[in-house]
Every structure is written in C-alpha cells, then in structure tokens.
C-alpha cells in the first residue's frame, strides 16, 4: 500500500498538470479555505502575523486564497514537460538590473520572500538568463520521501542547480558566485541556530539569516530582491527586480551582521507592504531556530 499511494498521487498530479491554470487556481483557493477552516493553529498564526504587520482584514482574507493558489500551481509548474516554459506568462519590471550585473561580470544574490509565486520566479530567471549565468537556489528538502523526490525531479532544469541548506550548500553557493553566477534564497526563512541574528520584523524580534550578507561580503556580488506577483484571473505573473532599502554594510563582525539583518528585514517589510495579500502569513516566521547542522565558513 505504501508504494501504491505515491504512484496514484503522482498520476493524479500529472493529470492535473494539464488543467488550465485558472482551474488550478480555483481548486487551490478552495483548498486554502479548507485549510483555514480545518486548522485552528493556522488561523491563529495568520491572524497574529498579519495583525503585527497592520494588514487589513480584506487583504488577510485574500491571502488565504492566494496561499491556496500557490499550492494549486504545483502540478502545472513541477510537472511541466521538459520543453515547457513559463516565460510566455511572465511580465518583467526591473530586468535591466540583472542585465547590468551580468554585463559587469558580477555574481548576483537574489532574495525572494515567501510571497506570490516564488517558485515561478526562479524558473523565469533561469529561462531568461540561465544560458548566460546559471542559478543555484538554496532549499530544504521535504521530509516526506515522495515529496522530496518530486521536488528534486521538478527542479532539475537546465541552468538551475539546487543547494541543500547546510554547510556544503553554502560552499556550493560561494563557488557559484565567485564564477559570476546567480544564487537565490528566501531571506525570511528561519535559519538554523547559530546561522542568524535577532532583528525586528514588523516590530517583533525574528531570527534572521546572516547568509545573504555573508555571501555578498565574501564575493563582492550584487544583490537584488526578486518577487513574482500572481496576476488576477490567471492572467500570468509579473516578476519584479528591486533594490534593498539601503546597501548592506561592508563589515563582517557581529554589529555588521545585525545591521545587515535589519536592512534585509526592512526591505522585506517594504516589499510585503506592496502585496500583503500575496504573503504567506501562515509561515511560522517568529519561531525559535532549530539546531544548526554545521557552521558557516
């Protein structure tokens, strides 16, 4: 039975991957509200996190549907044929910033918050620039074996590499940046203990990764914020390339790390304020970090 269920699940996802995106979004929105109704802890977290950020009740309700739509996109995105492309559905704002970094021969760190279609953003970057400069993304493998294998298969695309969230993954990203390539990570993801500092996020202390700043400091890479807005009516996506609210500090001591974390968090706050209805307010942003599997170089 344990081997049959994943097979049935994969067959179902493959069938759904051929659905129109509007159908998947409709199903996803319904699943989002079912999750809301079925999980008191999820409701509490969404409300608490959104209230801290001053999000309106209307935008908070919209975020429940948008979180479901993100899940609904999974079959379409992860099981897309090898020759399938997301670019025909993507509009761009700020693409010239990536062109400038590539022309200068610099590595590029892309910071993507838990907002909108962040999985689509990585695919769009690779389809547009991957042949010139590959992209390495940091990720945490799913605990479920079936989901982990599906993730790894889905993310295996030309120009796209994945790096595990541990010491070897950090070294992989450093090598990529030193070759002038691109790397991507989620700066609002809670890092392991010892790999972050406490910094305000919407007025509440949040354990914030120092990895982004260290990558920039050690390689001289450029840094941009990458957001993928989900357009209404399944009309596609708009990818935004944005600057930090201010440059990261040059130092690498504890004070500089805290300052960098504050800058990153203030940048995330500004970005989220533009699209509060597309942020994953159910993410446990304020949890205490888990134990670190290793130390950063």
């Amino acid at each position: 039975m344990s081997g049959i269920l994943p097979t049935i699940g994969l067959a179902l996802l493959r069938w759904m991957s051929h659905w129109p995106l509007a159908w998947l979004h409709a199903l996803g929105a319904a699943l989002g509200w079912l999750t809301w109704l079925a999980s008191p802890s999820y409701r509490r977290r969404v409300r608490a996190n959104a209230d801290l950020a001053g999000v309106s009740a209307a935008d908070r309700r919209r975020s429940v549907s948008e979180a479901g739509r993100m899940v609904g996109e999974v079959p379409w995105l992860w099981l897309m044929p090898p020759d399938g492309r997301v670019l025909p559905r993507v509009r761009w704002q700020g693409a010239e910033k990536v062109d400038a970094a590539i022309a200068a021969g610099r590595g590029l760190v892309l910071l993507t918050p838990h907002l909108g279609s962040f999985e689509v953003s990585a695919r769009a970057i690779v389809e547009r620039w991957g042949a010139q400069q590959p992209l390495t993304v940091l990720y945490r493998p799913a605990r479920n074996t079936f989901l982990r294998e599906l993730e790894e298969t889905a993310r295996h695309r030309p120009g796209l590499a994945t790096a595990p969230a541990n010491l070897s993954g950090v070294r992989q990203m450093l090598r990529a940046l030193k070759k002038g390539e691109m790397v991507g990570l989620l700066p609002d993801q809670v890092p392991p203990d010892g790999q972050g500092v406490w910094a305000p996020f919407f007025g509440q202390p949040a354990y914030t990764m120092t990895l982004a700043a260290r990558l920039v400091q050690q390689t001289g890479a450029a840094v941009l914020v990458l957001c993928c807005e989900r357009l209404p009516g399944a009309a596609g996506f708009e990818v935004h390339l944005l600057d930090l609210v201010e440059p990261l500090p040059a130092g690498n001591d504890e004070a500089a790390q805290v300052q960098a974390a504050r800058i990153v968090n203030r940048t995330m706050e500004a970005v989220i304020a533009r699209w509060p209805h597309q942020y994953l307010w159910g993410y446990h942003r304020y949890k205490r970090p888990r134990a670190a599997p290793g130390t950063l170089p």
Side-chain angles (χ1 to χ4, degrees), residues 132-200:
Q132 298 171 263
Q133 297 290 4
L135 171 67
T136 301
V137 294
L138 188 73
Y139 83 109
R140 288 181 183 165
R143 294 180 181 179
N144 180 277
T145 302
F146 168 68
L147 288 178
R148 183 168 62 250
E149 292 176 353
L150 181 60
E151 274 182 339
E152 292 171 353
T153 301
R155 291 170 175 160
H156 185 68
R157 299 273 167 168
L160 178 61
T162 56
N166 56 29
L167 182 57
S168 66
V170 172
R171 289 172 174 162
Q172 181 181 343
M173 298 179 87
L174 282 170
R175 288 194 298 269
L177 288 173
K178 288 175 181 178
K179 291 190 291 185
E181 297 177 0
M182 298 182 285
V183 303
L185 60 158
L186 284 80
D188 54 346
Q189 189 170 55
V190 179
D193 189 25
Q195 298 187 10
V197 295
W198 291 95

Side-chain angles (χ1 to χ4, degrees), residues 73 76-77 86 90 117-125 228 237 239:
E73 290 164 0
W76 168 75
L77 183 65
V86 303
V90 172
S117 301
F118 49 89
E119 290 259 2
V120 173
S121 65
R123 186 74 62 84
I125 288 287
C228 185
F237 310 91
V239 175

Side-chain angles (χ1 to χ4, degrees), residues 7-106:
T7 301
I8 294 174
L10 181 58
L12 178 61
L13 290 174
R14 289 194 183 281
W15 173 60
M16 292 173 63
S17 71
H18 298 289
W19 289 13
L21 193 56
W23 292 11
L24 293 170
H25 280 172
L27 175 62
L31 291 174
W33 279 104
L34 283 174
T35 302
W36 169 271
L37 293 171
S39 174
S41 61
Y42 176 66
R43 290 198 300 271
R44 286 194 298 269
R45 188 177 300 146
V46 169
R47 285 181 177 138
N49 290 348
D51 286 348
L52 277 173
V55 174
S56 68
D59 280 334
R60 188 185 66 216
R61 288 192 294 270
R62 290 177 67 190
S63 76
V64 174
S65 298
E66 292 296 331
R69 290 188 179 102
M70 183 194 70
V71 176
E73 290 164 0
V74 166
W76 168 75
L77 183 65
W78 285 11
L79 296 174
M80 188 179 291
D83 59 349
R85 294 172 64 81
V86 303
L87 277 188
R89 295 179 178 268
V90 172
R91 303 197 310 232
W92 296 87
Q93 294 289 338
E96 69 279 359
K97 298 176 186 293
V98 178
D99 290 328
I102 293 176
R106 298 179 68 187

